[in-house]
CSV table of all heavy atoms in Angstrom, one decimal:
chain,number,residue,atom,x,y,z
A,1332,MET,N,-71.9,52.6,44.1
A,1332,MET,CA,-73.3,52.4,44.7
A,1332,MET,C,-73.5,53.3,45.9
A,1332,MET,O,-72.7,53.4,46.8
A,1332,MET,CB,-73.5,51.0,45.1
A,1332,MET,CG,-73.8,50.0,44.0
A,1332,MET,SD,-75.4,50.2,43.3
A,1332,MET,CE,-76.4,49.2,44.4
A,1333,GLN,N,-74.6,54.1,45.9
A,1333,GLN,CA,-74.9,54.9,47.0
A,1333,GLN,C,-75.8,54.1,48.0
A,1333,GLN,O,-76.5,53.3,47.6
A,1333,GLN,CB,-75.6,56.1,46.6
A,1333,GLN,CG,-74.7,57.3,46.2
A,1333,GLN,CD,-75.5,58.5,45.8
A,1333,GLN,OE1,-76.0,58.6,44.7
A,1333,GLN,NE2,-75.6,59.4,46.7
A,1334,ASP,N,-75.6,54.5,49.2
A,1334,ASP,CA,-76.5,53.9,50.2
A,1334,ASP,C,-77.6,54.9,50.6
A,1334,ASP,O,-77.3,56.0,51.1
A,1334,ASP,CB,-75.7,53.5,51.4
A,1334,ASP,CG,-76.5,52.8,52.5
A,1334,ASP,OD1,-77.7,52.7,52.3
A,1334,ASP,OD2,-76.0,52.4,53.5
A,1335,TYR,N,-78.8,54.6,50.3
A,1335,TYR,CA,-79.8,55.6,50.5
A,1335,TYR,C,-80.4,55.4,51.9
A,1335,TYR,O,-81.4,56.0,52.2
A,1335,TYR,CB,-80.9,55.4,49.4
A,1335,TYR,CG,-80.4,55.9,48.1
A,1335,TYR,CD1,-80.1,54.9,47.1
A,1335,TYR,CD2,-80.4,57.2,47.8
A,1335,TYR,CE1,-79.6,55.3,45.9
A,1335,TYR,CE2,-79.9,57.6,46.5
A,1335,TYR,CZ,-79.5,56.7,45.6
A,1335,TYR,OH,-79.1,57.1,44.4
A,1336,GLY,N,-79.9,54.5,52.7
A,1336,GLY,CA,-80.3,54.4,54.0
A,1336,GLY,C,-81.4,53.3,54.2
A,1336,GLY,O,-81.6,52.8,55.2
A,1337,SER,N,-82.1,53.0,53.1
A,1337,SER,CA,-83.1,52.0,53.1
A,1337,SER,C,-82.7,50.9,52.1
A,1337,SER,O,-83.1,51.0,50.9
A,1337,SER,CB,-84.4,52.6,53.0
A,1337,SER,OG,-85.2,51.9,52.1
A,1338,PHE,N,-81.9,50.0,52.5
A,1338,PHE,CA,-81.4,49.0,51.6
A,1338,PHE,C,-82.4,48.0,51.2
A,1338,PHE,O,-83.1,47.5,52.1
A,1338,PHE,CB,-80.2,48.3,52.3
A,1338,PHE,CG,-79.3,47.5,51.4
A,1338,PHE,CD1,-78.4,48.2,50.6
A,1338,PHE,CD2,-79.4,46.2,51.3
A,1338,PHE,CE1,-77.6,47.5,49.7
A,1338,PHE,CE2,-78.6,45.5,50.5
A,1338,PHE,CZ,-77.7,46.1,49.7
A,1339,ASP,N,-82.6,47.9,50.0
A,1339,ASP,CA,-83.7,47.0,49.5
A,1339,ASP,C,-83.2,46.1,48.4
A,1339,ASP,O,-83.4,46.4,47.2
A,1339,ASP,CB,-84.9,47.8,49.0
A,1339,ASP,CG,-86.1,47.0,48.7
A,1339,ASP,OD1,-86.1,45.8,49.1
A,1339,ASP,OD2,-87.0,47.5,48.0
A,1340,ASP,N,-82.6,45.0,48.8
A,1340,ASP,CA,-82.0,44.2,47.8
A,1340,ASP,C,-82.8,42.9,47.6
A,1340,ASP,O,-82.4,42.0,47.0
A,1340,ASP,CB,-80.6,43.8,48.1
A,1340,ASP,CG,-80.5,43.0,49.4
A,1340,ASP,OD1,-81.5,43.0,50.2
A,1340,ASP,OD2,-79.5,42.3,49.6
A,1341,ASP,N,-84.0,42.8,48.2
A,1341,ASP,CA,-84.7,41.6,48.2
A,1341,ASP,C,-85.8,41.7,47.2
A,1341,ASP,O,-86.3,42.8,46.8
A,1341,ASP,CB,-85.2,41.3,49.6
A,1341,ASP,CG,-85.1,39.8,49.9
A,1341,ASP,OD1,-85.2,39.0,49.0
A,1341,ASP,OD2,-84.9,39.5,51.1
A,1342,ASP,N,-86.3,40.5,46.8
A,1342,ASP,CA,-87.3,40.5,45.7
A,1342,ASP,C,-88.8,40.6,46.3
A,1342,ASP,O,-89.7,40.6,45.5
A,1342,ASP,CB,-87.1,39.3,44.8
A,1342,ASP,CG,-87.1,38.0,45.6
A,1342,ASP,OD1,-87.2,38.1,46.9
A,1342,ASP,OD2,-87.0,37.0,45.0
A,1343,ASP,N,-88.9,40.5,47.6
A,1343,ASP,CA,-90.3,40.7,48.1
A,1343,ASP,C,-90.2,41.3,49.5
A,1343,ASP,O,-89.2,42.0,49.8
A,1343,ASP,CB,-91.0,39.3,48.1
A,1343,ASP,CG,-90.3,38.3,49.0
A,1343,ASP,OD1,-89.5,38.7,49.8
A,1343,ASP,OD2,-90.6,37.1,48.8
A,1344,LYS,N,-91.1,41.0,50.4
A,1344,LYS,CA,-91.2,41.7,51.6
A,1344,LYS,C,-90.3,41.1,52.7
A,1344,LYS,O,-90.3,41.6,53.9
A,1344,LYS,CB,-92.6,41.8,52.1
A,1344,LYS,CG,-93.3,40.5,52.3
A,1344,LYS,CD,-94.7,40.7,52.6
A,1344,LYS,CE,-95.6,39.5,52.7
A,1344,LYS,NZ,-95.1,38.2,52.5
A,1345,LYS,N,-89.4,40.2,52.4
A,1345,LYS,CA,-88.5,39.7,53.4
A,1345,LYS,C,-87.3,40.7,53.6
A,1345,LYS,O,-87.1,41.6,52.8
A,1345,LYS,CB,-87.9,38.4,52.9
A,1345,LYS,CG,-88.9,37.2,53.0
A,1345,LYS,CD,-88.3,35.9,52.5
A,1345,LYS,CE,-88.1,35.9,51.1
A,1345,LYS,NZ,-87.6,34.7,50.5
A,1346,GLY,N,-86.6,40.5,54.7
A,1346,GLY,CA,-85.4,41.2,54.9
A,1346,GLY,C,-85.6,42.6,55.4
A,1346,GLY,O,-85.0,43.6,55.0
A,1347,LYS,N,-86.5,42.7,56.4
A,1347,LYS,CA,-86.8,44.0,57.0
A,1347,LYS,C,-85.9,44.4,58.1
A,1347,LYS,O,-86.1,45.4,58.8
A,1347,LYS,CB,-88.2,44.0,57.4
A,1347,LYS,CG,-89.2,44.1,56.2
A,1347,LYS,CD,-90.6,44.0,56.7
A,1347,LYS,CE,-91.0,42.5,56.7
A,1347,LYS,NZ,-92.4,42.3,57.0
A,1348,GLY,N,-84.9,43.5,58.4
A,1348,GLY,CA,-84.1,43.7,59.6
A,1348,GLY,C,-83.4,45.0,59.8
A,1348,GLY,O,-83.3,45.5,60.8
A,1349,LYS,N,-82.8,45.5,58.7
A,1349,LYS,CA,-81.9,46.6,58.8
A,1349,LYS,C,-82.7,47.9,59.2
A,1349,LYS,O,-82.1,48.7,59.9
A,1349,LYS,CB,-81.2,46.8,57.5
A,1349,LYS,CG,-80.0,47.7,57.7
A,1349,LYS,CD,-79.2,48.0,56.5
A,1349,LYS,CE,-78.0,48.8,56.8
A,1349,LYS,NZ,-77.3,49.2,55.6
A,1350,SER,N,-83.9,48.0,58.7
A,1350,SER,CA,-84.6,49.2,59.0
A,1350,SER,C,-85.2,49.3,60.4
A,1350,SER,O,-85.7,50.3,60.8
A,1350,SER,CB,-85.7,49.4,58.0
A,1350,SER,OG,-86.6,48.3,58.1
A,1351,GLY,N,-85.0,48.2,61.2
A,1351,GLY,CA,-85.5,48.2,62.5
A,1351,GLY,C,-86.9,47.8,62.7
A,1351,GLY,O,-87.5,47.8,63.8
A,1352,LYS,N,-87.6,47.6,61.6
A,1352,LYS,CA,-89.0,47.1,61.7
A,1352,LYS,C,-89.0,45.7,62.2
A,1352,LYS,O,-88.1,44.9,62.0
A,1352,LYS,CB,-89.7,47.1,60.3
A,1352,LYS,CG,-90.0,48.5,59.8
A,1352,LYS,CD,-90.8,48.4,58.5
A,1352,LYS,CE,-90.4,49.5,57.6
A,1352,LYS,NZ,-90.5,49.2,56.2
A,1353,ALA,N,-90.1,45.4,63.0
A,1353,ALA,CA,-90.2,44.1,63.5
A,1353,ALA,C,-90.4,43.0,62.4
A,1353,ALA,O,-91.2,43.3,61.5
A,1353,ALA,CB,-91.3,44.0,64.5
A,1354,ILE,N,-89.7,42.0,62.5
A,1354,ILE,CA,-89.9,40.8,61.6
A,1354,ILE,C,-90.7,39.8,62.3
A,1354,ILE,O,-90.3,39.3,63.4
A,1354,ILE,CB,-88.6,40.2,61.1
A,1354,ILE,CG1,-87.8,41.3,60.4
A,1354,ILE,CG2,-88.8,39.1,60.2
A,1354,ILE,CD1,-86.4,40.9,60.1
A,1355,LYS,N,-91.9,39.5,61.8
A,1355,LYS,CA,-92.7,38.6,62.5
A,1355,LYS,C,-93.1,37.4,61.6
A,1355,LYS,O,-94.2,36.8,61.8
A,1355,LYS,CB,-94.0,39.3,63.0
A,1355,LYS,CG,-93.6,40.3,64.1
A,1355,LYS,CD,-94.8,41.0,64.7
A,1355,LYS,CE,-95.3,40.1,65.8
A,1355,LYS,NZ,-96.4,40.7,66.6
A,1356,ASP,N,-92.3,37.1,60.7
A,1356,ASP,CA,-92.5,35.8,60.0
A,1356,ASP,C,-91.1,35.5,59.3
A,1356,ASP,O,-90.3,36.3,59.2
A,1356,ASP,CB,-93.6,35.9,58.9
A,1356,ASP,CG,-93.2,36.9,57.8
A,1356,ASP,OD1,-93.1,38.1,58.0
A,1356,ASP,OD2,-92.9,36.4,56.7
A,1357,TRP,N,-91.0,34.2,59.0
A,1357,TRP,CA,-89.7,33.8,58.4
A,1357,TRP,C,-90.0,32.6,57.5
A,1357,TRP,O,-91.0,31.9,57.7
A,1357,TRP,CB,-88.7,33.4,59.5
A,1357,TRP,CG,-89.2,32.4,60.5
A,1357,TRP,CD1,-90.1,32.5,61.5
A,1357,TRP,CD2,-88.8,31.0,60.5
A,1357,TRP,NE1,-90.3,31.3,62.1
A,1357,TRP,CE2,-89.5,30.4,61.6
A,1357,TRP,CE3,-87.8,30.2,59.8
A,1357,TRP,CZ2,-89.3,29.0,61.9
A,1357,TRP,CZ3,-87.7,28.9,60.1
A,1357,TRP,CH2,-88.4,28.3,61.2
A,1358,ASP,N,-89.1,32.4,56.6
A,1358,ASP,CA,-89.2,31.3,55.7
A,1358,ASP,C,-88.2,30.2,56.1
A,1358,ASP,O,-87.0,30.5,56.2
A,1358,ASP,CB,-88.9,31.7,54.3
A,1358,ASP,CG,-90.0,32.6,53.7
A,1358,ASP,OD1,-91.2,32.4,54.1
A,1358,ASP,OD2,-89.7,33.5,53.0
A,1359,CYS,N,-88.7,29.0,56.3
A,1359,CYS,CA,-87.8,27.9,56.7
A,1359,CYS,C,-86.8,27.6,55.6
A,1359,CYS,O,-87.3,27.4,54.5
A,1359,CYS,CB,-88.7,26.7,57.0
A,1359,CYS,SG,-87.7,25.2,57.4
A,1360,PRO,N,-85.5,27.5,55.9
A,1360,PRO,CA,-84.6,27.2,54.9
A,1360,PRO,C,-84.6,25.7,54.5
A,1360,PRO,O,-84.1,25.3,53.5
A,1360,PRO,CB,-83.2,27.5,55.5
A,1360,PRO,CG,-83.5,27.5,57.0
A,1360,PRO,CD,-84.9,27.9,57.2
A,1361,THR,N,-85.2,24.9,55.3
A,1361,THR,CA,-85.3,23.5,55.0
A,1361,THR,C,-86.5,23.1,54.1
A,1361,THR,O,-86.3,22.5,53.0
A,1361,THR,CB,-85.4,22.6,56.3
A,1361,THR,OG1,-84.3,22.9,57.1
A,1361,THR,CG2,-85.5,21.2,55.9
A,1362,CYS,N,-87.7,23.6,54.5
A,1362,CYS,CA,-88.8,23.2,53.7
A,1362,CYS,C,-89.5,24.4,53.0
A,1362,CYS,O,-90.5,24.3,52.3
A,1362,CYS,CB,-89.9,22.5,54.6
A,1362,CYS,SG,-90.7,23.6,55.8
A,1363,GLU,N,-88.9,25.6,53.2
A,1363,GLU,CA,-89.4,26.8,52.6
A,1363,GLU,C,-90.8,27.3,53.0
A,1363,GLU,O,-91.4,28.1,52.3
A,1363,GLU,CB,-89.3,26.7,51.1
A,1363,GLU,CG,-87.9,26.5,50.6
A,1363,GLU,CD,-87.7,26.5,49.1
A,1363,GLU,OE1,-88.8,26.6,48.4
A,1363,GLU,OE2,-86.6,26.3,48.6
A,1364,ALA,N,-91.3,26.7,54.1
A,1364,ALA,CA,-92.6,27.1,54.6
A,1364,ALA,C,-92.5,28.5,55.3
A,1364,ALA,O,-91.4,28.8,55.9
A,1364,ALA,CB,-93.1,26.1,55.6
A,1365,ASN,N,-93.5,29.3,55.1
A,1365,ASN,CA,-93.5,30.6,55.8
A,1365,ASN,C,-94.1,30.4,57.2
A,1365,ASN,O,-95.2,29.9,57.3
A,1365,ASN,CB,-94.3,31.6,55.0
A,1365,ASN,CG,-94.3,33.0,55.6
A,1365,ASN,OD1,-95.2,33.4,56.3
A,1365,ASN,ND2,-93.2,33.7,55.4
A,1366,ASN,N,-93.4,30.8,58.2
A,1366,ASN,CA,-93.8,30.7,59.6
A,1366,ASN,C,-94.1,32.0,60.2
A,1366,ASN,O,-93.1,32.8,60.3
A,1366,ASN,CB,-92.8,29.9,60.4
A,1366,ASN,CG,-92.7,28.5,60.0
A,1366,ASN,OD1,-93.4,27.7,60.5
A,1366,ASN,ND2,-91.8,28.2,59.1
A,1367,PRO,N,-95.3,32.3,60.7
A,1367,PRO,CA,-95.5,33.6,61.4
A,1367,PRO,C,-95.0,33.4,62.9
A,1367,PRO,O,-95.0,32.2,63.4
A,1367,PRO,CB,-97.0,33.7,61.4
A,1367,PRO,CG,-97.5,32.4,61.2
A,1367,PRO,CD,-96.5,31.6,60.4
A,1368,THR,N,-94.6,34.5,63.5
A,1368,THR,CA,-94.2,34.4,64.9
A,1368,THR,C,-95.0,35.4,65.7
A,1368,THR,O,-95.5,36.4,65.2
A,1368,THR,CB,-92.7,34.7,65.1
A,1368,THR,OG1,-92.5,36.0,64.6
A,1368,THR,CG2,-91.9,33.7,64.3
A,1369,ASP,N,-95.2,35.1,67.0
A,1369,ASP,CA,-95.9,36.0,67.9
A,1369,ASP,C,-95.0,37.2,68.3
A,1369,ASP,O,-95.4,38.3,68.4
A,1369,ASP,CB,-96.3,35.3,69.2
A,1369,ASP,CG,-97.4,34.3,68.9
A,1369,ASP,OD1,-98.2,34.5,68.0
A,1369,ASP,OD2,-97.5,33.3,69.7
A,1370,GLU,N,-93.7,36.8,68.5
A,1370,GLU,CA,-92.8,37.9,68.9
A,1370,GLU,C,-91.9,38.2,67.8
A,1370,GLU,O,-91.5,37.4,67.0
A,1370,GLU,CB,-91.9,37.4,70.1
A,1370,GLU,CG,-92.8,37.2,71.3
A,1370,GLU,CD,-91.9,36.8,72.5
A,1370,GLU,OE1,-90.7,36.9,72.5
A,1370,GLU,OE2,-92.5,36.3,73.5
A,1371,PRO,N,-91.5,39.5,67.7
A,1371,PRO,CA,-90.5,39.9,66.6
A,1371,PRO,C,-89.2,39.1,66.7
A,1371,PRO,O,-88.7,38.8,67.8
A,1371,PRO,CB,-90.3,41.4,66.9
A,1371,PRO,CG,-91.4,41.8,67.8
A,1371,PRO,CD,-91.8,40.6,68.5
A,1372,ILE,N,-88.7,38.8,65.5
A,1372,ILE,CA,-87.5,38.0,65.4
A,1372,ILE,C,-86.3,38.9,65.6
A,1372,ILE,O,-86.3,40.0,65.0
A,1372,ILE,CB,-87.4,37.3,64.1
A,1372,ILE,CG1,-88.6,36.3,63.9
A,1372,ILE,CG2,-86.1,36.5,64.0
A,1372,ILE,CD1,-88.8,35.8,62.5
A,1373,SER,N,-85.4,38.6,66.5
A,1373,SER,CA,-84.2,39.4,66.7
A,1373,SER,C,-83.0,38.5,66.6
A,1373,SER,O,-83.1,37.3,66.4
A,1373,SER,CB,-84.3,40.1,68.0
A,1373,SER,OG,-84.4,39.1,69.0
A,1374,ASN,N,-81.8,39.1,66.6
A,1374,ASN,CA,-80.6,38.4,66.5
A,1374,ASN,C,-80.5,37.3,67.6
A,1374,ASN,O,-80.8,37.5,68.7
A,1374,ASN,CB,-79.4,39.3,66.7
A,1374,ASN,CG,-78.3,38.9,65.8
A,1374,ASN,OD1,-78.4,38.1,64.9
A,1374,ASN,ND2,-77.1,39.4,66.2
A,1375,SER,N,-80.2,36.1,67.2
A,1375,SER,CA,-80.1,34.9,68.0
A,1375,SER,C,-81.4,34.4,68.6
A,1375,SER,O,-81.4,33.6,69.5
A,1375,SER,CB,-79.0,35.1,69.1
A,1375,SER,OG,-79.5,35.9,70.1
A,1376,SER,N,-82.5,34.8,68.0
A,1376,SER,CA,-83.8,34.2,68.3
A,1376,SER,C,-83.7,32.7,67.9
A,1376,SER,O,-83.1,32.3,66.9
A,1376,SER,CB,-84.9,34.8,67.5
A,1376,SER,OG,-85.3,36.1,68.0
A,1377,GLU,N,-84.4,31.9,68.7
A,1377,GLU,CA,-84.5,30.5,68.3
A,1377,GLU,C,-85.9,30.2,67.7
A,1377,GLU,O,-86.9,30.6,68.3
A,1377,GLU,CB,-84.3,29.6,69.5
A,1377,GLU,CG,-82.9,29.6,70.0
A,1377,GLU,CD,-82.6,28.7,71.1
A,1377,GLU,OE1,-83.5,27.9,71.5
A,1377,GLU,OE2,-81.4,28.7,71.6
A,1378,LEU,N,-85.9,29.6,66.5
A,1378,LEU,CA,-87.2,29.4,65.8
A,1378,LEU,C,-87.4,28.0,65.5
A,1378,LEU,O,-86.4,27.2,65.3
A,1378,LEU,CB,-87.2,30.2,64.5
A,1378,LEU,CG,-87.0,31.7,64.6
A,1378,LEU,CD1,-86.7,32.3,63.2
A,1378,LEU,CD2,-88.1,32.4,65.3
A,1379,ARG,N,-88.6,27.5,65.6
A,1379,ARG,CA,-88.9,26.2,65.1
A,1379,ARG,C,-89.9,26.2,64.0
A,1379,ARG,O,-91.0,26.9,64.1
A,1379,ARG,CB,-89.4,25.3,66.3
A,1379,ARG,CG,-89.5,23.8,65.9
A,1379,ARG,CD,-89.7,23.0,67.2
A,1379,ARG,NE,-91.0,23.2,67.8
A,1379,ARG,CZ,-92.0,22.4,67.4
A,1379,ARG,NH1,-92.0,21.5,66.5
A,1379,ARG,NH2,-93.2,22.6,68.0
A,1380,CYS,N,-89.6,25.5,63.0
A,1380,CYS,CA,-90.6,25.4,61.9
A,1380,CYS,C,-91.8,24.7,62.2
A,1380,CYS,O,-91.7,23.6,62.7
A,1380,CYS,CB,-89.9,24.8,60.7
A,1380,CYS,SG,-90.9,24.7,59.2
A,1381,ASN,N,-93.0,25.3,62.0
A,1381,ASN,CA,-94.2,24.6,62.2
A,1381,ASN,C,-94.5,23.4,61.3
A,1381,ASN,O,-95.4,22.6,61.6
A,1381,ASN,CB,-95.4,25.6,62.1
A,1381,ASN,CG,-95.3,26.6,63.2
A,1381,ASN,OD1,-95.0,26.3,64.3
A,1381,ASN,ND2,-95.7,27.8,62.9
A,1382,TYR,N,-93.8,23.3,60.2
A,1382,TYR,CA,-94.1,22.3,59.2
A,1382,TYR,C,-93.1,21.2,59.3
A,1382,TYR,O,-93.6,20.0,59.3
A,1382,TYR,CB,-94.0,23.0,57.8
A,1382,TYR,CG,-95.1,24.1,57.7
A,1382,TYR,CD1,-94.8,25.4,58.1
A,1382,TYR,CD2,-96.3,23.7,57.2
A,1382,TYR,CE1,-95.8,26.3,58.0
A,1382,TYR,CE2,-97.3,24.7,57.1
A,1382,TYR,CZ,-97.1,26.0,57.6
A,1382,TYR,OH,-98.1,26.9,57.5
A,1383,CYS,N,-91.8,21.4,59.3
A,1383,CYS,CA,-90.9,20.3,59.3
A,1383,CYS,C,-90.3,20.0,60.7
A,1383,CYS,O,-89.7,19.0,60.9
A,1383,CYS,CB,-89.8,20.5,58.3
A,1383,CYS,SG,-88.7,21.8,58.7
A,1384,GLY,N,-90.5,21.0,61.6
A,1384,GLY,CA,-90.0,20.8,63.0
A,1384,GLY,C,-88.6,21.1,63.2
A,1384,GLY,O,-88.1,20.9,64.3
A,1385,ASN,N,-87.9,21.5,62.2
A,1385,ASN,CA,-86.4,21.8,62.4
A,1385,ASN,C,-86.3,23.1,63.2
A,1385,ASN,O,-87.2,24.0,63.1
A,1385,ASN,CB,-85.7,22.0,61.1
A,1385,ASN,CG,-85.4,20.7,60.4
A,1385,ASN,OD1,-85.6,19.7,61.0
A,1385,ASN,ND2,-84.9,20.8,59.2
A,1386,GLU,N,-85.3,23.2,64.0
A,1386,GLU,CA,-85.1,24.4,64.9
A,1386,GLU,C,-83.8,25.1,64.4
A,1386,GLU,O,-82.8,24.5,64.0
A,1386,GLU,CB,-84.9,24.0,66.3
A,1386,GLU,CG,-86.2,23.4,66.9
A,1386,GLU,CD,-86.1,23.1,68.4
A,1386,GLU,OE1,-86.1,24.1,69.2
A,1386,GLU,OE2,-85.9,22.0,68.7
A,1387,PHE,N,-83.9,26.4,64.5
A,1387,PHE,CA,-82.8,27.3,64.0
A,1387,PHE,C,-82.5,28.4,64.9
A,1387,PHE,O,-83.4,28.9,65.6
A,1387,PHE,CB,-83.2,27.9,62.6
A,1387,PHE,CG,-83.6,26.8,61.6
A,1387,PHE,CD1,-84.9,26.5,61.4
A,1387,PHE,CD2,-82.6,26.2,60.8
A,1387,PHE,CE1,-85.3,25.5,60.5
A,1387,PHE,CE2,-83.0,25.3,59.9
A,1387,PHE,CZ,-84.3,24.9,59.7
A,1388,THR,N,-81.3,28.8,64.9
A,1388,THR,CA,-80.9,30.1,65.6
A,1388,THR,C,-80.7,31.1,64.4
A,1388,THR,O,-80.1,30.8,63.4
A,1388,THR,CB,-79.6,29.9,66.3
A,1388,THR,OG1,-79.7,28.9,67.3
A,1388,THR,CG2,-79.3,31.2,67.1
A,1389,VAL,N,-81.3,32.3,64.7
A,1389,VAL,CA,-81.2,33.3,63.6
A,1389,VAL,C,-80.1,34.3,63.9
A,1389,VAL,O,-79.9,34.7,65.1
A,1389,VAL,CB,-82.6,34.1,63.6
A,1389,VAL,CG1,-82.5,35.2,62.6
A,1389,VAL,CG2,-83.7,33.2,63.4
A,1390,SER,N,-79.5,34.7,62.9
A,1390,SER,CA,-78.6,35.9,63.0
A,1390,SER,C,-78.8,36.7,61.8
A,1390,SER,O,-79.3,36.3,60.8
A,1390,SER,CB,-77.1,35.4,63.1
A,1390,SER,OG,-76.7,34.7,61.9
A,1391,PHE,N,-78.4,38.0,61.9
A,1391,PHE,CA,-78.7,38.9,60.8
A,1391,PHE,C,-77.3,39.4,60.2
A,1391,PHE,O,-76.4,39.7,61.0
A,1391,PHE,CB,-79.4,40.2,61.3
A,1391,PHE,CG,-80.9,39.9,61.6
A,1391,PHE,CD1,-81.3,39.6,62.8
A,1391,PHE,CD2,-81.8,39.8,60.5
A,1391,PHE,CE1,-82.6,39.3,63.1
A,1391,PHE,CE2,-83.1,39.6,60.8
A,1391,PHE,CZ,-83.5,39.3,62.1
A,1392,SER,N,-77.3,39.4,58.9
A,1392,SER,CA,-76.0,39.8,58.3
A,1392,SER,C,-76.0,41.4,58.3
A,1392,SER,O,-76.9,42.0,58.7
A,1392,SER,CB,-76.0,39.3,56.8
A,1392,SER,OG,-77.0,40.0,56.1
A,1393,ASP,N,-74.9,41.9,57.8
A,1393,ASP,CA,-74.8,43.4,57.8
A,1393,ASP,C,-75.9,44.0,56.9
A,1393,ASP,O,-76.2,45.2,57.1
A,1393,ASP,CB,-73.4,43.8,57.2
A,1393,ASP,CG,-72.3,43.4,58.2
A,1393,ASP,OD1,-72.6,43.2,59.3
A,1393,ASP,OD2,-71.1,43.4,57.7
A,1394,THR,N,-76.3,43.3,55.9
A,1394,THR,CA,-77.4,43.9,55.1
A,1394,THR,C,-78.8,43.6,55.6
A,1394,THR,O,-79.7,43.9,54.9
A,1394,THR,CB,-77.2,43.3,53.6
A,1394,THR,OG1,-77.2,41.9,53.7
A,1394,THR,CG2,-75.9,43.8,53.0
A,1395,GLY,N,-78.9,43.0,56.8
A,1395,GLY,CA,-80.2,42.7,57.3
A,1395,GLY,C,-80.8,41.4,56.9
A,1395,GLY,O,-82.0,41.2,57.2
A,1396,LYS,N,-80.1,40.7,56.2
A,1396,LYS,CA,-80.6,39.4,55.8
A,1396,LYS,C,-80.6,38.4,56.9
A,1396,LYS,O,-79.6,38.4,57.7
A,1396,LYS,CB,-79.8,38.8,54.6
A,1396,LYS,CG,-80.2,39.4,53.3
A,1396,LYS,CD,-79.6,38.5,52.2
A,1396,LYS,CE,-80.0,39.1,50.8
A,1396,LYS,NZ,-81.4,39.2,50.6
A,1397,MET,N,-81.6,37.6,57.0
A,1397,MET,CA,-81.6,36.6,58.1
A,1397,MET,C,-80.8,35.4,57.6
A,1397,MET,O,-80.9,34.9,56.5
A,1397,MET,CB,-83.1,36.1,58.3
A,1397,MET,CG,-83.9,37.2,58.9
A,1397,MET,SD,-85.7,36.8,59.0
A,1397,MET,CE,-85.6,35.5,60.3
A,1398,LYS,N,-80.0,34.9,58.6
A,1398,LYS,CA,-79.3,33.7,58.4
A,1398,LYS,C,-79.7,32.7,59.4
A,1398,LYS,O,-79.9,33.0,60.6
A,1398,LYS,CB,-77.8,34.0,58.4
A,1398,LYS,CG,-77.3,34.8,57.3
A,1398,LYS,CD,-75.8,34.8,57.2
A,1398,LYS,CE,-75.2,35.5,58.3
A,1398,LYS,NZ,-73.7,35.8,58.0
A,1399,PHE,N,-79.8,31.4,59.0
A,1399,PHE,CA,-80.3,30.4,59.9
A,1399,PHE,C,-79.2,29.4,60.2
A,1399,PHE,O,-78.5,28.9,59.3
A,1399,PHE,CB,-81.5,29.7,59.3
A,1399,PHE,CG,-82.7,30.6,59.1
A,1399,PHE,CD1,-82.9,31.2,57.9
A,1399,PHE,CD2,-83.6,30.8,60.1
A,1399,PHE,CE1,-83.9,32.1,57.6
A,1399,PHE,CE2,-84.7,31.7,59.9
A,1399,PHE,CZ,-84.8,32.3,58.7
A,1400,LYS,N,-79.1,29.0,61.4
A,1400,LYS,CA,-78.2,27.9,61.8
A,1400,LYS,C,-79.0,26.9,62.5
A,1400,LYS,O,-79.7,27.1,63.4
A,1400,LYS,CB,-77.1,28.4,62.7
A,1400,LYS,CG,-75.9,27.5,62.9
A,1400,LYS,CD,-74.8,28.1,63.6
A,1400,LYS,CE,-75.1,28.2,65.1
A,1400,LYS,NZ,-73.9,28.8,65.8
A,1401,GLU,N,-78.9,25.7,61.9
A,1401,GLU,CA,-79.7,24.6,62.5
A,1401,GLU,C,-79.2,24.2,63.8
A,1401,GLU,O,-78.0,24.1,64.1
A,1401,GLU,CB,-79.7,23.4,61.5
A,1401,GLU,CG,-80.9,22.5,61.7
A,1401,GLU,CD,-81.0,21.5,60.5
A,1401,GLU,OE1,-80.5,21.8,59.4
A,1401,GLU,OE2,-81.6,20.4,60.8
A,1402,ILE,N,-80.2,24.0,64.8
A,1402,ILE,CA,-79.8,23.7,66.1
A,1402,ILE,C,-79.6,22.1,66.2
A,1402,ILE,O,-80.5,21.4,65.8
A,1402,ILE,CB,-80.9,24.1,67.2
A,1402,ILE,CG1,-80.9,25.7,67.1
A,1402,ILE,CG2,-80.5,23.7,68.6
A,1402,ILE,CD1,-82.1,26.2,67.9
B,504,LIG,ZN1,-89.5,23.8,57.7
């Protein structure tokens, strides 16, 4: 597999972390609601779902995927 510099392994517009573009929305891993944010999401941002109220710390994997850890 070649790396073309713009890794696109996702099925929609999620996972923009690696290219350095600001991510301003996220999908709650608990209830799968899409939550917009005012500020770009970065590594170790703390997010709270507007729908179920769960809070998460975000980290990014090597491939730019967002990973959530429940607080
Ligand atoms: Zn939620």
